[in-house]
Amino acid sequence: MEEIPRRPSRGSKYELTAEDRELLESKAVNGVIPFDDYINTLDYILANGKGRRFTE
């Protein structure tokens, strides 16, 4: 079987907006965000957020 060529991924940074932070804080229970909620919320923010993305 032939190997499919792929590009190596480039790292990038994302700057959270105040709206993104509010969304994360809304998931907190007693001041702590459950890990699953944190990951799911960040995934949503990266797909739909309006923050700035920086490529290194």
Side-chain angles (χ1 to χ4, degrees):
M1 183 192 269
E2 253 183 76
E3 190 171 315
I4 299 172
R6 68 175 189 88
R7 286 184 306 167
S9 62
R10 287 184 261 160
S12 62
K13 294 182 181 179
Y14 180 86
E15 186 176 301
L16 294 174
T17 63
E19 184 180 313
D20 295 337
R21 286 187 194 93
E22 286 176 17
L23 182 59
L24 276 171
E25 290 171 1
S26 73
K27 303 293 183 179
V29 177
N30 295 328
V32 178
I33 303 171
F35 185 72
D36 287 343
D37 287 341
Y38 180 77
I39 296 299
N40 289 336
T41 304
L42 279 182
D43 187 43
Y44 174 81
I45 288 171
L46 290 174
N48 303 304
K50 295 175 178 38
R52 293 189 303 167
R53 193 178 298 265
F54 301 97
T55 304
E56 295 181 349

Short mmCIF file of all heavy atoms in Angstrom, two decimals:
data_model
loop_
_atom_site.label_atom_id
_atom_site.label_comp_id
_atom_site.label_asym_id
_atom_site.label_seq_id
_atom_site.Cartn_x
_atom_site.Cartn_y
_atom_site.Cartn_z
N MET A 1 0.85 -1.17 0.00
CA MET A 1 0.00 0.00 0.00
C MET A 1 0.90 1.24 0.00
O MET A 1 1.86 1.32 0.74
CB MET A 1 -0.90 -0.02 1.23
CG MET A 1 -1.85 1.15 1.24
SD MET A 1 -2.69 1.36 2.80
CE MET A 1 -4.14 0.41 2.54
N GLU A 2 0.54 2.19 -0.83
CA GLU A 2 1.32 3.42 -0.94
C GLU A 2 0.97 4.39 0.19
O GLU A 2 -0.18 4.52 0.57
CB GLU A 2 1.02 4.11 -2.26
CG GLU A 2 2.16 4.00 -3.24
CD GLU A 2 1.84 4.76 -4.50
OE1 GLU A 2 1.92 6.00 -4.46
OE2 GLU A 2 1.49 4.09 -5.48
N GLU A 3 2.00 5.04 0.68
CA GLU A 3 1.77 6.03 1.74
C GLU A 3 1.27 7.34 1.11
O GLU A 3 1.78 7.78 0.09
CB GLU A 3 3.06 6.28 2.50
CG GLU A 3 2.85 7.10 3.74
CD GLU A 3 4.09 7.16 4.59
OE1 GLU A 3 4.72 6.11 4.80
OE2 GLU A 3 4.42 8.26 5.03
N ILE A 4 0.29 7.93 1.72
CA ILE A 4 -0.27 9.18 1.22
C ILE A 4 0.56 10.34 1.78
O ILE A 4 0.71 10.44 3.00
CB ILE A 4 -1.74 9.34 1.63
CG1 ILE A 4 -2.56 8.18 1.04
CG2 ILE A 4 -2.29 10.69 1.21
CD1 ILE A 4 -3.97 8.12 1.54
N PRO A 5 1.11 11.20 0.91
CA PRO A 5 1.91 12.31 1.42
C PRO A 5 1.02 13.34 2.13
O PRO A 5 -0.14 13.53 1.76
CB PRO A 5 2.53 12.92 0.16
CG PRO A 5 1.65 12.49 -0.95
CD PRO A 5 1.02 11.18 -0.53
N ARG A 6 1.56 13.94 3.17
CA ARG A 6 0.81 14.98 3.87
C ARG A 6 1.75 16.07 4.32
O ARG A 6 2.94 15.84 4.50
CB ARG A 6 0.06 14.41 5.06
CG ARG A 6 0.94 13.94 6.19
CD ARG A 6 0.11 13.50 7.38
NE ARG A 6 0.96 13.24 8.51
CZ ARG A 6 1.33 14.15 9.41
NH1 ARG A 6 0.92 15.39 9.30
NH2 ARG A 6 2.11 13.83 10.40
N ARG A 7 1.17 17.25 4.48
CA ARG A 7 1.95 18.39 4.97
C ARG A 7 2.05 18.31 6.48
O ARG A 7 1.07 17.98 7.13
CB ARG A 7 1.25 19.71 4.66
CG ARG A 7 1.29 20.15 3.26
CD ARG A 7 0.66 21.50 3.13
NE ARG A 7 -0.71 21.47 3.71
CZ ARG A 7 -1.42 22.53 3.96
NH1 ARG A 7 -0.95 23.72 3.72
NH2 ARG A 7 -2.63 22.43 4.45
N PRO A 8 3.20 18.64 7.02
CA PRO A 8 3.26 18.73 8.49
C PRO A 8 2.44 19.92 8.97
O PRO A 8 2.36 20.95 8.29
CB PRO A 8 4.74 18.93 8.79
CG PRO A 8 5.38 19.30 7.51
CD PRO A 8 4.46 18.88 6.40
N SER A 9 1.78 19.77 10.10
CA SER A 9 0.96 20.87 10.61
C SER A 9 1.86 21.96 11.18
O SER A 9 2.94 21.69 11.68
CB SER A 9 -0.01 20.37 11.67
OG SER A 9 0.69 19.85 12.76
N ARG A 10 1.39 23.19 11.05
CA ARG A 10 2.10 24.33 11.62
C ARG A 10 1.38 24.76 12.89
O ARG A 10 0.16 24.84 12.91
CB ARG A 10 2.13 25.49 10.63
CG ARG A 10 3.08 25.23 9.47
CD ARG A 10 3.13 26.43 8.60
NE ARG A 10 2.22 26.12 7.49
CZ ARG A 10 1.68 27.00 6.70
NH1 ARG A 10 1.90 28.27 6.86
NH2 ARG A 10 0.88 26.63 5.73
N GLY A 11 2.14 25.05 13.91
CA GLY A 11 1.54 25.51 15.16
C GLY A 11 0.93 26.89 14.99
O GLY A 11 1.36 27.68 14.14
N SER A 12 -0.09 27.17 15.76
CA SER A 12 -0.69 28.50 15.74
C SER A 12 -1.21 28.83 17.12
O SER A 12 -1.40 27.94 17.96
CB SER A 12 -1.81 28.58 14.70
OG SER A 12 -2.84 27.70 15.02
N LYS A 13 -1.41 30.10 17.36
CA LYS A 13 -1.95 30.57 18.64
C LYS A 13 -3.26 31.27 18.36
O LYS A 13 -3.45 31.86 17.30
CB LYS A 13 -0.99 31.54 19.31
CG LYS A 13 0.31 30.90 19.73
CD LYS A 13 1.20 31.91 20.42
CE LYS A 13 2.51 31.27 20.82
NZ LYS A 13 3.40 32.23 21.46
N TYR A 14 -4.16 31.23 19.32
CA TYR A 14 -5.48 31.85 19.20
C TYR A 14 -5.66 32.79 20.38
O TYR A 14 -5.42 32.41 21.52
CB TYR A 14 -6.56 30.76 19.20
CG TYR A 14 -7.96 31.30 19.06
CD1 TYR A 14 -8.49 31.54 17.81
CD2 TYR A 14 -8.73 31.58 20.18
CE1 TYR A 14 -9.77 32.04 17.67
CE2 TYR A 14 -10.02 32.08 20.05
CZ TYR A 14 -10.52 32.30 18.79
OH TYR A 14 -11.79 32.80 18.66
N GLU A 15 -6.06 34.01 20.10
CA GLU A 15 -6.28 34.99 21.16
C GLU A 15 -7.77 35.03 21.50
O GLU A 15 -8.59 35.37 20.65
CB GLU A 15 -5.81 36.36 20.69
CG GLU A 15 -5.85 37.42 21.76
CD GLU A 15 -5.27 38.73 21.25
OE1 GLU A 15 -4.09 38.73 20.85
OE2 GLU A 15 -6.01 39.71 21.23
N LEU A 16 -8.11 34.66 22.74
CA LEU A 16 -9.50 34.64 23.16
C LEU A 16 -10.06 36.05 23.26
O LEU A 16 -9.40 36.96 23.71
CB LEU A 16 -9.64 33.97 24.53
CG LEU A 16 -9.32 32.49 24.62
CD1 LEU A 16 -9.37 32.04 26.08
CD2 LEU A 16 -10.27 31.68 23.78
N THR A 17 -11.31 36.20 22.85
CA THR A 17 -12.00 37.47 23.00
C THR A 17 -12.72 37.46 24.35
O THR A 17 -12.81 36.42 25.02
CB THR A 17 -13.05 37.67 21.89
OG1 THR A 17 -14.04 36.64 22.02
CG2 THR A 17 -12.43 37.62 20.51
N ALA A 18 -13.25 38.60 24.76
CA ALA A 18 -14.01 38.68 26.01
C ALA A 18 -15.23 37.75 25.94
O ALA A 18 -15.58 37.09 26.92
CB ALA A 18 -14.45 40.12 26.28
N GLU A 19 -15.84 37.67 24.76
CA GLU A 19 -17.00 36.78 24.57
C GLU A 19 -16.59 35.31 24.75
O GLU A 19 -17.32 34.53 25.37
CB GLU A 19 -17.55 37.00 23.16
CG GLU A 19 -18.80 36.22 22.83
CD GLU A 19 -19.28 36.49 21.42
OE1 GLU A 19 -19.35 37.68 21.03
OE2 GLU A 19 -19.58 35.52 20.72
N ASP A 20 -15.41 34.95 24.23
CA ASP A 20 -14.90 33.58 24.40
C ASP A 20 -14.67 33.28 25.87
O ASP A 20 -15.02 32.20 26.36
CB ASP A 20 -13.58 33.40 23.63
CG ASP A 20 -13.73 33.53 22.12
OD1 ASP A 20 -14.84 33.35 21.61
OD2 ASP A 20 -12.71 33.84 21.48
N ARG A 21 -14.08 34.22 26.60
CA ARG A 21 -13.82 34.02 28.03
C ARG A 21 -15.13 33.87 28.81
O ARG A 21 -15.23 33.03 29.71
CB ARG A 21 -13.01 35.19 28.59
CG ARG A 21 -11.57 35.15 28.16
CD ARG A 21 -10.77 36.23 28.89
NE ARG A 21 -9.49 36.40 28.25
CZ ARG A 21 -9.23 37.28 27.30
NH1 ARG A 21 -10.15 38.13 26.89
NH2 ARG A 21 -8.04 37.35 26.74
N GLU A 22 -16.12 34.68 28.45
CA GLU A 22 -17.42 34.58 29.12
C GLU A 22 -18.04 33.20 28.90
O GLU A 22 -18.64 32.63 29.82
CB GLU A 22 -18.36 35.66 28.62
CG GLU A 22 -18.05 37.05 29.11
CD GLU A 22 -18.97 38.11 28.51
OE1 GLU A 22 -20.03 37.75 27.96
OE2 GLU A 22 -18.61 39.29 28.60
N LEU A 23 -17.92 32.70 27.68
CA LEU A 23 -18.46 31.37 27.38
C LEU A 23 -17.76 30.31 28.23
O LEU A 23 -18.41 29.44 28.81
CB LEU A 23 -18.29 31.06 25.89
CG LEU A 23 -18.85 29.72 25.42
CD1 LEU A 23 -20.34 29.62 25.70
CD2 LEU A 23 -18.57 29.54 23.94
N LEU A 24 -16.45 30.38 28.34
CA LEU A 24 -15.71 29.43 29.18
C LEU A 24 -16.13 29.56 30.64
O LEU A 24 -16.36 28.56 31.32
CB LEU A 24 -14.20 29.66 29.06
CG LEU A 24 -13.52 29.00 27.88
CD1 LEU A 24 -12.08 29.48 27.76
CD2 LEU A 24 -13.55 27.50 28.01
N GLU A 25 -16.22 30.79 31.13
CA GLU A 25 -16.58 31.00 32.53
C GLU A 25 -18.00 30.53 32.83
O GLU A 25 -18.29 30.13 33.96
CB GLU A 25 -16.43 32.47 32.89
CG GLU A 25 -14.98 32.91 32.95
CD GLU A 25 -14.80 34.42 33.08
OE1 GLU A 25 -15.82 35.15 33.14
OE2 GLU A 25 -13.64 34.86 33.11
N SER A 26 -18.87 30.55 31.83
CA SER A 26 -20.24 30.11 32.05
C SER A 26 -20.32 28.61 32.31
O SER A 26 -21.31 28.12 32.84
CB SER A 26 -21.12 30.48 30.85
OG SER A 26 -20.83 29.66 29.74
N LYS A 27 -19.28 27.87 31.95
CA LYS A 27 -19.25 26.42 32.15
C LYS A 27 -18.74 26.04 33.54
O LYS A 27 -18.78 24.87 33.91
CB LYS A 27 -18.35 25.76 31.10
CG LYS A 27 -18.74 26.04 29.67
CD LYS A 27 -20.05 25.42 29.32
CE LYS A 27 -20.39 25.68 27.86
NZ LYS A 27 -21.63 25.08 27.46
N ALA A 28 -18.26 27.01 34.30
CA ALA A 28 -17.66 26.73 35.61
C ALA A 28 -18.71 26.28 36.63
O ALA A 28 -19.82 26.79 36.67
CB ALA A 28 -16.93 27.96 36.13
N VAL A 29 -18.32 25.31 37.44
CA VAL A 29 -19.14 24.82 38.54
C VAL A 29 -18.30 25.04 39.81
O VAL A 29 -17.23 24.45 39.94
CB VAL A 29 -19.47 23.32 38.38
CG1 VAL A 29 -20.25 22.81 39.57
CG2 VAL A 29 -20.21 23.08 37.08
N ASN A 30 -18.77 25.91 40.69
CA ASN A 30 -18.02 26.27 41.90
C ASN A 30 -16.62 26.78 41.55
O ASN A 30 -15.63 26.46 42.22
CB ASN A 30 -17.92 25.09 42.87
CG ASN A 30 -19.27 24.69 43.41
OD1 ASN A 30 -20.15 25.54 43.59
ND2 ASN A 30 -19.45 23.41 43.67
N GLY A 31 -16.52 27.55 40.48
CA GLY A 31 -15.25 28.15 40.08
C GLY A 31 -14.31 27.25 39.30
O GLY A 31 -13.20 27.64 38.96
N VAL A 32 -14.74 26.03 38.99
CA VAL A 32 -13.90 25.07 38.27
C VAL A 32 -14.65 24.60 37.02
O VAL A 32 -15.82 24.26 37.09
CB VAL A 32 -13.56 23.85 39.16
CG1 VAL A 32 -12.75 22.84 38.39
CG2 VAL A 32 -12.83 24.29 40.41
N ILE A 33 -13.94 24.59 35.89
CA ILE A 33 -14.54 24.12 34.64
C ILE A 33 -14.21 22.63 34.48
O ILE A 33 -13.04 22.27 34.45
CB ILE A 33 -13.99 24.89 33.43
CG1 ILE A 33 -14.23 26.39 33.59
CG2 ILE A 33 -14.62 24.38 32.14
CD1 ILE A 33 -13.54 27.24 32.54
N PRO A 34 -15.23 21.76 34.41
CA PRO A 34 -14.97 20.34 34.17
C PRO A 34 -14.18 20.15 32.87
O PRO A 34 -14.40 20.86 31.89
CB PRO A 34 -16.36 19.72 34.06
CG PRO A 34 -17.25 20.67 34.80
CD PRO A 34 -16.66 22.03 34.57
N PHE A 35 -13.24 19.21 32.89
CA PHE A 35 -12.33 19.02 31.76
C PHE A 35 -13.06 18.80 30.45
O PHE A 35 -12.73 19.40 29.43
CB PHE A 35 -11.38 17.84 32.05
CG PHE A 35 -10.34 17.66 30.99
CD1 PHE A 35 -9.29 18.55 30.87
CD2 PHE A 35 -10.41 16.60 30.11
CE1 PHE A 35 -8.32 18.40 29.89
CE2 PHE A 35 -9.45 16.43 29.13
CZ PHE A 35 -8.41 17.33 29.02
N ASP A 36 -14.08 17.94 30.44
CA ASP A 36 -14.83 17.66 29.20
C ASP A 36 -15.48 18.93 28.66
O ASP A 36 -15.46 19.18 27.45
CB ASP A 36 -15.90 16.60 29.42
CG ASP A 36 -15.33 15.20 29.58
OD1 ASP A 36 -14.15 15.00 29.21
OD2 ASP A 36 -16.05 14.33 30.07
N ASP A 37 -16.06 19.74 29.56
CA ASP A 37 -16.68 21.00 29.13
C ASP A 37 -15.64 21.96 28.58
O ASP A 37 -15.89 22.68 27.62
CB ASP A 37 -17.43 21.66 30.30
CG ASP A 37 -18.72 20.93 30.65
OD1 ASP A 37 -19.22 20.16 29.80
OD2 ASP A 37 -19.21 21.13 31.77
N TYR A 38 -14.46 21.99 29.21
CA TYR A 38 -13.38 22.87 28.76
C TYR A 38 -12.95 22.51 27.34
O TYR A 38 -12.87 23.37 26.46
CB TYR A 38 -12.19 22.76 29.72
CG TYR A 38 -11.02 23.62 29.36
CD1 TYR A 38 -11.03 24.99 29.62
CD2 TYR A 38 -9.89 23.08 28.76
CE1 TYR A 38 -9.95 25.79 29.29
CE2 TYR A 38 -8.81 23.87 28.43
CZ TYR A 38 -8.85 25.23 28.70
OH TYR A 38 -7.78 26.01 28.36
N ILE A 39 -12.71 21.24 27.09
CA ILE A 39 -12.28 20.78 25.76
C ILE A 39 -13.37 21.04 24.73
O ILE A 39 -13.09 21.55 23.64
CB ILE A 39 -11.91 19.28 25.80
CG1 ILE A 39 -10.70 19.05 26.70
CG2 ILE A 39 -11.65 18.75 24.39
CD1 ILE A 39 -9.43 19.76 26.27
N ASN A 40 -14.61 20.70 25.05
CA ASN A 40 -15.71 20.90 24.11
C ASN A 40 -15.92 22.39 23.80
O ASN A 40 -16.16 22.76 22.64
CB ASN A 40 -17.01 20.30 24.64
CG ASN A 40 -16.98 18.79 24.63
OD1 ASN A 40 -16.26 18.18 23.87
ND2 ASN A 40 -17.77 18.19 25.52
N THR A 41 -15.81 23.23 24.81
CA THR A 41 -15.99 24.66 24.62
C THR A 41 -14.86 25.25 23.79
O THR A 41 -15.09 26.05 22.88
CB THR A 41 -16.10 25.39 25.97
OG1 THR A 41 -17.18 24.80 26.72
CG2 THR A 41 -16.37 26.87 25.79
N LEU A 42 -13.62 24.85 24.07
CA LEU A 42 -12.50 25.34 23.26
C LEU A 42 -12.62 24.88 21.82
O LEU A 42 -12.31 25.64 20.89
CB LEU A 42 -11.16 24.89 23.85
CG LEU A 42 -10.64 25.71 25.01
CD1 LEU A 42 -9.29 25.18 25.46
CD2 LEU A 42 -10.52 27.18 24.65
N ASP A 43 -13.06 23.66 21.62
CA ASP A 43 -13.26 23.16 20.25
C ASP A 43 -14.29 24.02 19.53
O ASP A 43 -14.11 24.40 18.37
CB ASP A 43 -13.71 21.70 20.31
CG ASP A 43 -13.78 21.06 18.95
OD1 ASP A 43 -12.85 21.28 18.15
OD2 ASP A 43 -14.76 20.35 18.68
N TYR A 44 -15.39 24.35 20.22
CA TYR A 44 -16.42 25.21 19.64
C TYR A 44 -15.86 26.60 19.33
O TYR A 44 -16.09 27.15 18.25
CB TYR A 44 -17.60 25.31 20.61
CG TYR A 44 -18.65 26.29 20.15
CD1 TYR A 44 -19.60 25.93 19.21
CD2 TYR A 44 -18.67 27.59 20.64
CE1 TYR A 44 -20.56 26.82 18.77
CE2 TYR A 44 -19.62 28.50 20.20
CZ TYR A 44 -20.56 28.12 19.27
OH TYR A 44 -21.49 29.01 18.82
N ILE A 45 -15.11 27.16 20.28
CA ILE A 45 -14.54 28.51 20.10
C ILE A 45 -13.59 28.54 18.91
O ILE A 45 -13.63 29.46 18.09
CB ILE A 45 -13.83 28.97 21.38
CG1 ILE A 45 -14.86 29.29 22.47
CG2 ILE A 45 -12.95 30.19 21.11
CD1 ILE A 45 -14.25 29.54 23.85
N LEU A 46 -12.73 27.54 18.79
CA LEU A 46 -11.77 27.52 17.68
C LEU A 46 -12.47 27.39 16.34
O LEU A 46 -12.00 27.91 15.33
CB LEU A 46 -10.75 26.41 17.88
CG LEU A 46 -9.77 26.64 19.02
CD1 LEU A 46 -8.90 25.40 19.22
CD2 LEU A 46 -8.92 27.86 18.79
N ALA A 47 -13.60 26.70 16.31
CA ALA A 47 -14.34 26.53 15.06
C ALA A 47 -15.20 27.75 14.73
O ALA A 47 -15.38 28.09 13.56
CB ALA A 47 -15.22 25.29 15.14
N ASN A 48 -15.71 28.44 15.77
CA ASN A 48 -16.69 29.49 15.53
C ASN A 48 -16.34 30.84 16.12
O ASN A 48 -17.08 31.80 15.93
CB ASN A 48 -18.05 29.07 16.12
CG ASN A 48 -18.52 27.77 15.55
OD1 ASN A 48 -18.65 27.62 14.35
ND2 ASN A 48 -18.75 26.80 16.40
N GLY A 49 -15.26 30.91 16.87
CA GLY A 49 -14.93 32.15 17.58
C GLY A 49 -14.49 33.27 16.66
O GLY A 49 -14.18 33.06 15.48
N LYS A 50 -14.44 34.47 17.22
CA LYS A 50 -14.06 35.64 16.44
C LYS A 50 -12.70 36.19 16.86
O LYS A 50 -12.34 37.29 16.52
CB LYS A 50 -15.14 36.71 16.59
CG LYS A 50 -16.46 36.26 15.99
CD LYS A 50 -17.55 37.26 16.25
CE LYS A 50 -18.86 36.90 15.64
NZ LYS A 50 -19.23 35.51 15.63
N GLY A 51 -11.95 35.41 17.66
CA GLY A 51 -10.63 35.85 18.11
C GLY A 51 -9.63 35.83 16.97
O GLY A 51 -9.93 35.42 15.84
N ARG A 52 -8.43 36.27 17.27
CA ARG A 52 -7.38 36.30 16.23
C ARG A 52 -6.53 35.06 16.33
O ARG A 52 -6.18 34.60 17.41
CB ARG A 52 -6.51 37.53 16.43
CG ARG A 52 -7.27 38.81 16.17
CD ARG A 52 -6.35 39.99 16.17
NE ARG A 52 -5.63 40.08 17.43
CZ ARG A 52 -4.58 40.86 17.64
NH1 ARG A 52 -4.14 41.61 16.68
NH2 ARG A 52 -3.99 40.90 18.81
N ARG A 53 -6.16 34.51 15.18
CA ARG A 53 -5.32 33.34 15.10
C ARG A 53 -3.95 33.77 14.56
O ARG A 53 -3.88 34.46 13.54
CB ARG A 53 -5.95 32.31 14.17
CG ARG A 53 -5.34 30.96 14.24
CD ARG A 53 -6.07 30.01 13.32
NE ARG A 53 -7.46 29.82 13.66
CZ ARG A 53 -7.92 28.83 14.42
NH1 ARG A 53 -7.09 27.94 14.88
NH2 ARG A 53 -9.21 28.71 14.67
N PHE A 54 -2.90 33.36 15.24
CA PHE A 54 -1.55 33.69 14.83
C PHE A 54 -0.81 32.43 14.43
O PHE A 54 -0.82 31.45 15.16
CB PHE A 54 -0.77 34.34 16.00
CG PHE A 54 -1.40 35.58 16.52
CD1 PHE A 54 -2.21 35.56 17.65
CD2 PHE A 54 -1.18 36.80 15.90
CE1 PHE A 54 -2.79 36.70 18.15
CE2 PHE A 54 -1.75 37.96 16.40
CZ PHE A 54 -2.56 37.92 17.51
N THR A 55 -0.19 32.43 13.28
CA THR A 55 0.61 31.31 12.82
C THR A 55 2.07 31.59 13.12
O THR A 55 2.56 32.67 12.85
CB THR A 55 0.44 31.07 11.31
OG1 THR A 55 -0.95 30.89 11.04
CG2 THR A 55 1.19 29.84 10.86
N GLU A 56 2.72 30.61 13.70
CA GLU A 56 4.15 30.79 14.04
C GLU A 56 5.03 30.42 12.89
O GLU A 56 4.73 29.68 12.05
CB GLU A 56 4.49 29.93 15.26
CG GLU A 56 3.76 30.40 16.48
CD GLU A 56 4.11 29.57 17.70
OE1 GLU A 56 4.75 28.52 17.58
OE2 GLU A 56 3.74 29.99 18.79
#
